[in-house]
Amino acid sequence: MGVDVCWDPAAAQPPARRAAFRSMTAVTAGDKAAWLELFAGDAVVEDPIGPSMFDEEGKGHHGHDGISAFWDKTIANVERFQFTIRDSHAAGDEVANVGTITTYLPGGYRVDTDGVFVYRVREDGLIVSMRAFWETERAMATARQEG
């Protein structure tokens, strides 16, 4: 499945929205190299915000090395992603996307993560910050085995 979006990615869009779409597209394709190229060298990924099973200290994943390690710990373990963005609010150099990330995990499990996903870019369009607001317990409550 591709990326479900509520805007036309071919139309003129604010830079942060374009970067968010490219990020979702690279994740859906499983293309780590393309995903990492979207981030500035000093970028920070906080997914989710605060302490979590992915970031015990809650300080985020910093720079290409930290963001690459985040991919290996999280994204690489998912068989398939589906992004459903129900709304998107662009302002200045940021965009806040409201939606659901559906992850298909080994063993036929599926998890739906509702959240707000905020991207900030610099002038050249590279992502300097990606912050995901979602609740672990709420997402895990949706876990189910399919098929």
Side-chain angles (χ1 to χ4, degrees):
M1 298 211 123
V3 179
D4 294 331
V5 295
C6 63
W7 67 84
D8 178 0
Q13 297 292 338
R17 186 174 288 142
R18 287 195 309 268
F21 181 79
R22 288 182 186 123
S23 174
M24 291 181 280
T25 300
V27 168
T28 301
D31 192 341
K32 179 181 177 180
W35 189 66
L36 289 173
E37 288 176 3
L38 299 172
F39 291 89
D42 59 350
V44 178
V45 169
E46 296 174 88
D47 185 357
I49 301 291
S52 73
M53 61 189 151
F54 306 130
D55 179 11
E56 291 180 12
E57 293 183 21
K59 295 181 179 179
H61 309 276
H62 296 258
H64 285 165
D65 288 344
I67 294 169
S68 177
F70 170 76
W71 176 287
D72 294 342
K73 188 174 188 178
T74 60
I75 297 169
N77 297 311
V78 174
E79 291 181 348
R80 184 167 64 95
F81 285 88
Q82 179 179 345
F83 293 84
T84 304
I85 304 302
R86 290 183 297 281
D87 211 345
S88 180
H89 306 275
D93 60 359
E94 297 188 65
V95 67
N97 295 323
V98 180
T100 302
I101 301 173
T102 301
T103 51
Y104 297 86
L105 305 166
Y109 286 92
R110 173 181 171 169
V111 175
D112 296 317
T113 303
D114 292 327
V116 177
F117 310 96
V118 180
Y119 295 78
R120 184 167 48 94
V121 297
R122 62 185 195 193
E123 281 186 22
D124 62 4
L126 290 178
I127 300 167
V128 294
S129 173
M130 195 284 282
R131 304 181 77 215
F133 295 82
W134 59 274
E135 299 173 39
T136 303
E137 296 80 17
R138 187 170 164 180
M140 295 313 295
T142 72
R144 62 212 176 269
Q145 194 166 23
E146 295 191 334

